[in-house]
Amino acid sequence: MLQAETYQEQAVLCFVREGSRVLLIEKRRGLGAGKVNAPGGKVEPGETYLQAAIRETREEVCVEAGDLHLRGALGFRFADGYSLYVQVFVAQSHTGTPAETPEAHPFWCETSEIPYGRMWADDIVWLPQVLDGYEVEGDFTFDGDRMTGGTVQLRWQP
């Protein structure tokens, strides 16, 4: 079981669903700039992971995520010593129209056409299962952008 407090920073990702589509972003700055991911970011002091997922989605793509379900916990350790714990949420509803911000360029994507080649290497290992209703726990190591190792455990959540 991953322990959030053993990582330098805690963050969230929020995958907003709309039928067979998912809302993704082209990240503009910070860790992973230039990559495709979901809205997300660091948890602020006094904030729950759920509150952070809602806030980050609103700030990054101007959408109010609703009916969120926790679907994963991921740990990332980098060769330079940086470490990050991430809780992954899936939102089954939303209000608002996605809009570009300084943080992100949002776009809707069919789940069958997710551009894994433009994402972090670990995403293809766990994201399809999360979008199919599984809970995941993963632990990954990276040297810069290159994944050097990782494990994932799945649990079905009806």
Side-chain angles (χ1 to χ4, degrees):
M1 181 113 194
L2 299 176
Q3 301 295 317
E5 61 275 0
T6 66
Y7 295 83
Q8 289 175 334
E9 295 185 317
Q10 289 75 43
V12 294
L13 289 171
C14 185
F15 291 89
V16 178
R17 298 291 304 263
E18 184 178 78
S20 64
R21 301 186 313 163
V22 63
L23 182 60
L24 298 176
I25 64 168
E26 293 175 2
K27 190 160 172 48
R28 293 194 155 162
R29 60 185 181 195
L31 182 66
K35 292 188 180 295
V36 171
N37 209 335
K42 294 177 187 161
V43 178
E44 294 180 354
E47 188 176 48
T48 67
Y49 289 95
L50 178 63
Q51 290 168 335
I54 293 168
R55 176 187 52 77
E56 286 286 351
T57 303
R58 183 183 326 112
E59 289 176 0
E60 287 192 357
V61 296
C62 305
V63 165
E64 193 71 28
D67 193 18
L68 278 78
H69 299 271
L70 178 62
R71 288 292 187 230
L74 305 172
F76 300 95
R77 296 191 188 274
F78 291 82
D80 66 1
Y82 178 68
S83 63
L84 179 67
Y85 171 85
V86 179
Q87 286 196 356
V88 179
F89 291 87
V90 174
Q92 298 297 334
S93 66
H94 73 280
T95 56
T97 302
E100 200 163 320
T101 67
E103 291 281 333
H105 171 74
F107 64 98
W108 288 103
C109 182
E110 290 292 328
T111 57
S112 61
E113 298 174 5
I114 293 174
Y116 289 107
R118 296 177 55 208
M119 301 172 83
W120 287 97
D122 62 284
D123 291 352
I124 196 166
V125 176
W126 58 266
L127 181 54
Q129 288 77 14
V130 163
L131 295 176
D132 282 344
Y134 287 88
E135 279 190 2
V136 299
E137 183 173 287
D139 191 21
F140 301 95
T141 56
F142 280 82
D143 186 353
D145 282 358
R146 187 176 60 86
M147 187 168 70
T148 57
T151 61
V152 174
Q153 296 177 344
L154 302 176
R155 185 172 60 243
W156 172 247
Q157 289 297 310

